[in-house]
Amino acid sequence: MKLSTRGRYGLKAMFDLALYYGEGPISLTNIAERQAISVNYLEQLISPLRKAGLVESVRGAQGGYMLSRAPGAITVGSILTTLEGPLAPTDCVVIDGGEDFCDHSQYCVTKVIYEKIYESITSVVNSITLQHMIDDYENNQDSMIVHTICECK
Amino acid sequence: MKLSTRGRYGLKAMFDLALYYGEGPISLTNIAERQAISVNYLEQLISPLRKAGLVESVRGAQGGYMLSRAPGAITVGSILTTLEGPLAPTDCVVIDGGEDFCDHSQYCVTKVIYEKIYESITSVVNSITLQHMIDDYENNQDSMIVHTICECK
DNA sequence: TTTAATCCCTAGTTGTTTACTAAGAAATCA
DNA sequence: TGATTTCTTAGTAAACAACTAGGGATTAAA
């Protein structure tokens, strides 16, 4: 039940982009340095985020990436599910037409539980936007707390 | 963010034991057959459940396993965390004294999110007991729905 | 027009984890 | 004594995670 580095790094990168929202394209080199992630690996994470329409890219020198819309319009859920797939404890709650997949899934006592877990996770991550993270970040800076984004494992 | 077979099989096995609660020890062979799990593998799952005090064993012929207390007193959360470890999206929300683990974890904008996810999952699984599953199971049987426990993946 | 910076894409690699299988020792009932 | 069952450990094949590596395409600036 752990997130992989894909989701964690991707969220860090998107938060980084959110801090620079409105300031033109930010290069992956910059993000990678600040967030201590390899550029090559970061490229592999930003690619699905771009395809999902969460970021836009500018190619060539002085190019980079920027959020495709305001931080308040991008949820943590959209980022994490883009990089990790559905945040579900089992596949059965997420794959439909499960007749060949799982015979009695609609009546399964355990599936009911997995669905509740899925809903609760989804509800949390969909209610948090990048803007919330920025607000949190800036509040803590005001109160003189060194508030960084850490190497959360 | 998926449960492994350890948690899923373990929950199925515990539900099976709950259906026979009060009827003496049930052998792993029986459970394994009903739930379509290899006996050898099931042995490896029941072992931590016993060490966690969730089931008791009777050795020797006609032996087996039984719940250590009523189904209403055993939560799904206790079963899943015994087999999967803490149902947390990251280690940082669960390991304390994280100074060497994660420098700024107490001020981390992403950790706040991971903690909320952790809390919501924990709250769901801790609120469901094996008795709830039995009630659900029997309700559906009453209404003539073939309610099985499926091969949830 | 060249150069450097950057995005973009794919393939390969290494280590870890998962999901078992296998096998044998210890205990207990008939 | 023999069958049944728990208990424990070791091994293994396949999948997955977390990258590394390298090269092509695009563009701004010198």
Side-chain angles (χ1 to χ4, degrees), chain A residues 66-97:
Chain A
M66 47 205 168
L67 297 187
S68 64
R69 46 187 192 273
I74 296 179
T75 65
V76 169
S78 65
I79 297 165
L80 292 181
T81 59
T82 296
L83 291 166
E84 300 266 348
L87 264 33
T90 58
D91 286 337
C92 68
V93 305
V94 131
I95 296 176
D96 41 43

Side-chain angles (χ1 to χ4, degrees), chain B residues 71-108:
Chain B
I74 296 179
T75 65
V76 169
S78 65
I79 296 165
L80 292 181
T81 60
T82 296
L83 291 166
E84 300 266 348
L87 264 33
T90 58
D91 287 336
C92 68
V93 305
V94 131
I95 295 176
D96 41 44
E99 281 315 303
D100 28 315
F101 178 75
C102 183
D103 271 355
H104 309 283
S105 58
Q106 63 269 51
Y107 312 124
C108 174

Side-chain angles (χ1 to χ4, degrees), chain A residues 22 30 42-43 49 67 79 82 85 93 96 102 105 108 139 153:
Chain A
N30 278 336
L42 197 48
E43 280 176 342
L49 292 170
L67 297 187
I79 297 165
T82 296
V93 305
D96 41 43
C102 183
S105 58
C108 174
N139 278 341
K153 279 173 195 147

Side-chain angles (χ1 to χ4, degrees), chain B residues 1-62:
Chain B
M1 284 290 284
K2 294 278 181 291
L3 286 173
S4 69
T5 55
R6 289 177 62 87
R8 299 198 322 266
Y9 291 0
L11 183 56
K12 281 169 61 162
M14 288 295 280
F15 172 72
D16 194 287
L17 281 180
L19 287 176
Y20 295 93
Y21 179 65
E23 302 181 17
I26 310 289
S27 79
L28 281 194
T29 313
N30 279 336
I31 304 176
E33 255 174 38
R34 276 192 297 264
Q35 304 299 337
I37 306 172
S38 121
V39 178
N40 277 330
Y41 193 38
L42 197 48
E43 280 175 341
Q44 294 177 22
L45 308 183
I46 204 94
S47 170
L49 292 170
R50 184 177 56 82
K51 284 167 184 159
L54 298 176
V55 299
E56 282 168 6
S57 63
V58 177
R59 300 185 71 168
Q62 266 59 46

